[in-house]
Amino acid sequence: MKYSIFGESHGPAIGVVLEGVPSGFELDMEAVQKELDRRRPGKSTLSTARKETDVPKILSGVFQGRTTGTPLCAVIENEDQHSGDYEATKHLARPGHADWPAHVRYEGFNDYRGGGHFSGRLTAPLVFAGAVAKQILAQKGIEIGAHISSIYGINDAVAEDKDALLAVAEKEFPVLDDACGEEMRQAILEAKEERDSVGGSIECMVFGLPAGLGSPDFGLNVEGVFSQHLFAVPAVKAVGFGAGAAFSLMRGSEANDPLYVDDDGTVRAEQNNAGGVNGGITNGMPVVFEVTMRPTPSIARTQFTVDMEKMENAELELKGRHDPCVVHRAVPVIEAAAALAACDVLDIG
């Protein structure tokens, strides 16, 4: 299923067009809303104070409660914009943001308010599309779970149990170990107090993908398909599958995943350092990856930058409402991207 996201952070609405949705599928809109609520801002001191209800309105692709098979279009209204916060600094490129490359790419005509089309606000329609994909995958026995694996060097417990990982979706702060979560919360609040921000990482697992999907070739490689979806999520700066960067610390005898045939005749691995993929093809184990997310670039500290109108050096002091950390709100976003990637790997649509 291919999707296209439209809208700007401070425009009237944002939305998504999702193509390739199978016809006759009955959408559970309560489940869709639940996914959107997991991402929604304004729920705690750990997030931006911007308050949005994030209730989607379906414009096309559903008739009498079932998908038609034609493009599914949904919009989410923006209800709490403070656009004036950006007027005084509209010519100043915010360090860490896409302001400068967007200014060059779109010749200065892009909407600068709140990051415009480059804002994390645009992850709401992505979650909608992912929620649809999740429901379709569930019919095939495929489930997706994720948790915060670290924030500012504070690590969560290792995800070893499928049920425990899936249960994280019910938590306000999506970690396996709540004690670790409390340490992460304090790190976020400390950064906020110091007019700064922190980054972190999210581990995600896709359960139920059969062996043999994908190809070593460009465009069909499973890790490549997932990475393309994941790097489309704002703030994601690194993706690692299985052991990821830790492979550099291993010998082959440690890195290899010994195989065996289980009682029902299925080939399994004793461990999953490969992250469920070998040679660009699924091996039947859960597809496991971790994404690294940068600290929120919008901070209240004075920063050096350039004035894009005068083309001279300048200083920037940002006002407005910003997340001191985006990682905890991004967990359902990463799950959504993984769901859409899994649909691609399965060639749904």
Side-chain angles (χ1 to χ4, degrees):
M1 297 188 298
K2 305 300 181 184
Y3 69 90
S4 177
I5 289 174
F6 59 87
E8 287 82 28
S9 177
H10 286 232
I14 52 180
V16 62
V17 177
L18 186 61
E19 297 183 62
V21 180
S23 59
F25 186 79
E26 186 175 4
L27 281 180
D28 182 346
M29 291 305 297
E30 288 188 10
V32 170
Q33 188 63 59
K34 187 175 181 179
E35 292 295 303
L36 285 163
D37 288 345
R38 293 173 62 198
R39 193 219 68 94
R40 185 166 51 85
K43 296 188 294 183
S44 75
T45 56
L46 301 177
S47 304
T48 172
R50 180 172 178 170
K51 294 186 181 297
E52 299 284 356
T53 57
D54 284 354
V55 177
K57 180 181 180 181
I58 295 178
L59 301 184
S60 67
V62 176
F63 180 64
Q64 295 182 339
R66 294 186 179 272
T67 56
T68 62
T70 56
L72 173 58
C73 178
V75 295
I76 299 171
E77 292 183 355
N78 291 324
E79 301 172 331
D80 188 25
Q81 310 99 310
H82 289 183
S83 300
D85 292 342
Y86 299 90
E87 187 62 29
T89 58
K90 64 182 180 181
H91 297 303
L92 301 179
R94 296 168 299 169
H97 277 282
D99 294 348
W100 168 242
H103 178 82
V104 175
R105 171 68 176 80
Y106 299 109
E107 301 179 335
F109 290 101
N110 54 294
D111 186 344
Y112 58 82
R113 300 168 302 170
H117 189 69
F118 298 89
S119 170
R121 176 81 185 125
L122 276 293
T123 59
L126 175 60
V127 169
F128 173 89
V132 174
K134 273 187 171 184
Q135 292 183 34
I136 294 170
L137 291 171
Q139 287 192 328
K140 299 178 179 295
I142 297 168
E143 298 176 287
I144 299 172
H147 71 116
I148 301 169
S149 48
S150 71
I151 285 181
Y152 198 51
I154 302 166
N155 297 317
D156 191 19
V158 177
E160 295 178 332
D161 180 77
K162 171 184 171 182
D163 291 336
L165 181 61
L166 296 177
V168 166
E170 303 298 326
K171 293 186 176 184
E172 179 185 349
F173 197 77
V175 292
L176 294 163
D177 187 325
D178 293 334
C180 295
E182 185 55 37
E183 290 185 51
M184 294 177 188
R185 287 173 183 264
Q186 292 307 312
I188 295 171
L189 291 174
E190 287 174 15
K192 180 180 180 180
E193 183 67 23
E194 296 170 8
R195 300 191 301 168
D196 217 329
S197 62
V198 291
S201 56
I202 295 169
E203 182 184 40
C204 183
M205 296 187 181
V206 182
F207 302 96
L209 285 176
L213 299 174
S215 165
D217 302 322
F218 176 82
L220 300 174
N221 182 293
V222 171
E223 289 151 321
V225 171
F226 271 83
S227 294
Q228 186 172 9
H229 282 271
L230 294 166
F231 277 118
V233 177
V236 170
K237 300 302 289 184
V239 177
F241 288 84
F247 275 122
S248 66
L249 307 174
M250 297 180 181
R251 292 186 173 185
S253 56
E254 300 170 293
N256 292 344
D257 301 326
L259 303 175
Y260 68 95
V261 179
D262 67 13
D263 294 338
D264 64 4
T266 303
V267 174
R268 302 286 185 190
E270 292 181 1
Q271 56 189 24
N272 193 18
N273 283 328
V277 184
N278 293 110
I281 302 170
T282 56
N283 61 23
M285 296 293 287
V287 172
V288 181
F289 62 85
E290 185 176 58
V291 300
T292 301
M293 308 194 75
R294 60 160 295 138
T296 316
S298 293
I299 57 176
R301 293 188 175 193
T302 301
Q303 301 178 81
F304 295 108
T305 187
V306 295
D307 186 311
M308 296 180 289
E309 183 179 54
K310 299 177 181 178
M311 289 305 294
E312 61 184 30
N313 296 327
E315 290 187 358
L316 171 67
E317 289 189 9
L318 284 176
K319 307 297 181 183
R321 305 165 296 173
H322 308 288
D323 288 272
C325 181
V326 299
V327 179
H328 53 293
R329 288 179 56 208
V331 171
V333 181
I334 297 304
E335 290 180 17
L340 291 161
C343 287
D344 264 4
V345 169
L346 287 162
D347 200 23
I348 293 175

